[in-house]
Amino acid sequence: MVVKEYVTYNEVHKLCQDAAPQILQDFQPQLMIAIGGGGYVPARILRSFLKTPGSPNIPMQGIGLSLYEQLPPTHNSASDTPGQIEEAGTKVTRTQWLDFTSLGEIENLVGKRILIVDEVDDTRTTLEYAVKELEKDVEAASQKLGYKGEETVFSIFVLHNKNKEKKGTLPAYMMNNNRYLAARTVEDVWICYPWEATDIDAHDAMAAKQAVQ
Ligand code: 5GP
């Protein structure tokens, strides 16, 4: 049986709040790239906590990557709880990407400290893909612009990292230099995020029930 863990909006908010000081200290991001859909809400919450008085909000961009395919409802029929479980695909599909045809957007990335935000690091396949592809695109853009300035540096923030063997790998410069931060490390459970709930009251009730167990 798949163990589910229900996370509320309130908890997500506090995970972002708790992580923000370390992100400010270690990454000092100038731009955030949220991996959609799960990275959008954490990125937006985090932005409020990363804002420093007198400075503008950190700009946010979004990319859409999909690895998991929705299963037919019968697969989940034994479940008595709200929330769908999805199953891992093997291939990452881009559903949305940065617009590299627009010069303004390229200039916004090159030479910046960029924080990639997602909700969960499960097999790490998605994060590996995102980092590799963004690095490639930034490199191509730098060459096109003849850019010779500061290096573009990527960091990662996720709400949850699952403590399991990973299929994907991230560059050593990230893992060894405090450029990867997970607000929580959890066991290999299925995390039900509030934005996926079709009945948020039932979702919160499950979270409350689980908290007293
Ligand atoms: P990975 O590529 O690390 O295996 O998976 C990343 C994506 O899979 C996440 O962005 C998320 O969309 C989905 N995913 C993996 N595990 C979970 C989970 O426990 N709960 C939910 N809701 N999504 C998950």
Side-chain angles (χ1 to χ4, degrees):
M1 201 188 80
V2 180
V3 177
K4 292 184 183 177
E5 190 175 315
Y6 289 82
V7 177
T8 64
Y9 280 115
N10 203 296
E11 284 160 351
V12 170
H13 206 92
K14 288 181 176 160
L15 289 177
C16 293
Q17 181 172 17
D18 291 350
Q22 199 176 336
I23 291 172
L24 280 172
Q25 183 187 300
D26 293 344
F27 309 155
Q28 296 159 2
Q30 296 164 298
L31 177 79
M32 283 195 279
I33 296 182
I35 303 180
Y40 293 152
V41 176
R44 175 58 191 89
I45 295 171
L46 192 59
R47 192 177 74 163
S48 296
F49 293 109
L50 295 181
K51 177 149 173 36
T52 47
S55 304
N57 270 310
I58 298 174
M60 276 172 60
Q61 306 223 11
I63 56 174
L65 295 176
S66 174
L67 175 71
Y68 285 67
E69 292 145 27
Q70 196 86 41
L71 295 174
T74 46
H75 181 90
N76 211 22
S77 56
S79 163
D80 58 347
T81 54
Q84 283 247 308
I85 291 186
E86 295 172 278
E87 199 160 80
T90 47
K91 196 170 148 271
V92 179
T93 313
R94 286 186 187 195
T95 55
Q96 185 196 337
W97 200 253
L98 304 169
D99 179 9
F100 275 85
T101 55
S102 137
L103 190 64
E105 205 157 300
I106 296 170
E107 281 174 343
N108 281 341
L109 293 187
V110 173
K112 293 276 163 55
R113 292 184 299 276
I114 302 169
L115 182 64
I116 299 169
V117 181
D118 207 355
E119 87 279 46
V120 56
D121 175 359
D122 181 13
T123 64
R124 204 163 274 175
T125 310
T126 305
L127 287 172
E128 176 186 290
Y129 179 91
V131 171
K132 273 194 183 149
E133 294 297 299
L134 286 168
E135 281 184 339
K136 256 195 260 166
D137 283 355
V138 165
E139 179 54 32
S142 306
Q143 287 192 3
K144 201 166 155 190
L145 291 168
Y147 179 80
K148 299 263 182 286
E150 295 276 303
E151 198 190 340
T152 309
V153 181
F154 290 100
S155 304
I156 290 175
F157 171 70
V158 290
L159 297 173
H160 298 98
N161 174 33
K162 294 190 196 175
N163 186 14
K164 65 192 278 188
E165 203 173 316
K166 304 292 185 183
K167 288 188 192 149
T169 49
L170 291 169
Y173 85 80
M174 274 186 162
M175 307 312 276
N176 303 339
N177 293 298
N178 292 340
R179 300 208 173 277
Y180 173 96
L181 178 66
R184 290 278 180 281
T185 300
V186 295
E187 290 312 308
D188 192 7
V189 296
W190 185 261
I191 305 163
C192 301
Y193 290 99
W195 47 82
E196 297 160 349
T198 47
D199 182 340
I200 194 64
D201 294 326
H203 177 97
D204 285 352
M206 290 303 294
K209 193 170 142 198
Q210 149 194 296
V212 295
Q213 273 168 6

